[in-house]
Amino acid sequence: MTSSAAQPSVAALLARAAQLSLATGVVVFGIKLVGYFLTGSVGLLSDALESTVNVAAALLLMLTVRFSARPADDEHPYGHAKAEYLSSFSEGLLIGIAGVLIIQTSVLRLLHPEPVRASALGLGLTVVASVINLVVGLHLSRQGRQLHSPALLADGQHILSDVWSSGLVLAGVLLAIATGWNWLDPFIGLLVALLVLHFGWRVLRGAVGGLLDERLSGEEISRLREAIDHHRAAFLEVHDLRTRRAGRDTFVDFHLILPSDMPLHQAHDICDRIEDDLMETLPGLGVTIHIEPEYLAHSGTHPRVTDIRMH
């Protein structure tokens, strides 16, 4: 598991990232709102409405990372990192709500078209907001991957999706101004809504997978198997390997078959060596090894055998 000395620095990095996300969300929302008032574009309004989700998600992220950084206790022996999936799930719902609001606004404007006012300042503000989102979104996504934080990674990817939607809105506004086709603006708003809903579904899917103890990736499992096979001469067989991810923490457990007459201290030493290699392969990994004597391994009966749990 991650050492307690390292936890404060991780918690501090997550807290600063959450604060940056909140500050960015507030600033970008204000910029886009001004751009809407200057142009009257429903596309820019839908873009601004989507940014309110960024603000709400950042507030939730701040609360979640603070809670998830708490150390393990008697009630939560595996820690609190899994709370980050609740933040991701809530963010996915908020994104979905924003998508629905954008659809509603766009449909109303399609039924009652209004001309888009050409405003270099309004359009320029949208570009500025997109650049800010791009820089911050890339930073948060990188931090999320480095810190293995699903909530921070989801927030960074959400902000990056905002950059794409803003670019689409800007293109629609420019086309509407150039052609005089006022329906283009709300039509682009509908496209933005579909993009937002698609991303919301991706965030929800990732959060649900984490809450349901989805296994590690195939590449990570292959690396774990290679680390175990490195000690193949010391054991007879390994089976029932299972993995799961809980927020920033990862866990693996498996059954290790050893000779029936092997002394306990020797079995423990073998498990220690395997654990060291697994921890080197995936730092912060929690390992549980269930030892089985050879004569019981394939007997079809499994009397109670003491687990050796690695800490």
Side-chain angles (χ1 to χ4, degrees):
M1 300 295 294
T2 306
S3 65
S4 57
Q7 282 293 346
S9 62
V10 172
L13 287 171
L14 287 172
R16 285 199 290 269
Q19 291 166 2
L20 174 63
S21 177
L22 177 60
T24 301
V26 172
V27 170
V28 168
F29 170 67
I31 291 175
K32 289 182 178 180
L33 201 59
V34 172
Y36 160 68
F37 285 128
L38 290 174
T39 62
S41 164
V42 72
L44 292 183
L45 176 60
S46 67
D47 207 23
L49 286 174
E50 206 271 332
S51 293
T52 62
V53 177
N54 294 357
V55 177
L59 285 170
L60 184 60
L61 179 64
M62 289 182 65
L63 296 175
T64 302
V65 297
R66 184 177 300 177
F67 180 80
S68 66
R70 292 180 180 179
D73 53 37
D74 291 340
E75 295 294 326
H76 306 90
Y78 289 97
H80 301 78
K82 207 168 184 179
E84 291 201 22
Y85 291 118
L86 297 177
S87 174
S88 299
F89 186 83
S90 300
E91 183 164 358
L93 290 178
L94 289 172
I95 294 171
I97 293 172
V100 172
L101 291 176
I102 294 171
I103 289 175
Q104 181 183 21
T105 304
S106 300
V107 169
L108 289 175
R109 186 61 67 89
L110 275 173
L111 296 175
H112 307 284
E114 294 182 16
V116 177
R117 298 187 296 273
S119 170
L121 178 59
L123 299 178
L125 288 174
T126 300
V127 174
V128 170
S130 295
V131 171
I132 294 174
N133 270 340
L134 177 62
V135 173
V136 174
L138 289 173
H139 173 71
L140 294 181
S141 296
R142 183 171 59 251
Q143 285 279 81
R145 284 189 291 270
Q146 291 175 349
L147 301 176
H148 303 289
S149 170
L152 188 57
L153 181 60
D155 196 56
Q157 291 177 338
H158 177 204
I159 292 175
L160 288 177
S161 76
D162 198 24
V163 176
W164 289 103
S165 62
S166 295
L168 194 59
V169 166
L170 186 60
V173 171
L174 291 174
L175 283 173
I177 293 173
T179 63
W181 298 342
N182 296 325
W183 59 268
L184 268 177
D185 180 40
F187 178 75
I188 293 296
L190 287 175
L191 293 181
V192 169
L194 294 177
L195 179 65
V196 168
L197 289 174
H198 171 71
F199 182 77
W201 166 249
R202 287 178 52 192
V203 172
L204 283 174
R205 172 67 183 82
V208 170
L211 289 171
L212 295 180
D213 288 334
E214 199 168 51
R215 68 175 178 84
L216 303 184
S217 68
E219 187 270 336
E220 289 172 315
I221 293 176
S222 295
R223 289 167 56 196
L224 293 178
R225 289 189 181 277
E226 288 176 5
I228 296 172
D229 288 341
H230 180 70
H231 301 270
R232 188 67 183 83
F235 61 84
L236 299 176
E237 185 182 335
V238 61
H239 62 90
D240 290 348
L241 186 145
R242 302 184 303 172
T243 63
R244 68 184 179 92
R245 192 185 305 279
R248 297 186 301 277
D249 300 326
T250 51
F251 300 92
V252 61
D253 63 81
F254 55 91
H255 292 210
L256 192 71
I257 299 176
L258 299 173
S260 302
D261 58 352
M262 178 178 287
L264 182 60
H265 70 86
Q266 187 177 347
H268 186 272
D269 289 343
I270 291 172
C271 290
D272 275 345
R273 293 197 298 271
I274 293 176
E275 179 208 9
D276 289 340
D277 270 7
L278 289 172
M279 289 284 290
E280 186 176 346
T281 301
L282 289 181
L285 183 69
V287 184
T288 301
I289 302 178
H290 179 96
I291 290 180
E292 293 184 14
E294 180 183 6
Y295 79 95
L296 290 177
H298 300 290
S299 65
T301 60
H302 293 277
R304 183 176 180 84
V305 181
T306 302
D307 289 350
I308 293 183
R309 176 164 294 188
M310 301 304 175
H311 300 285

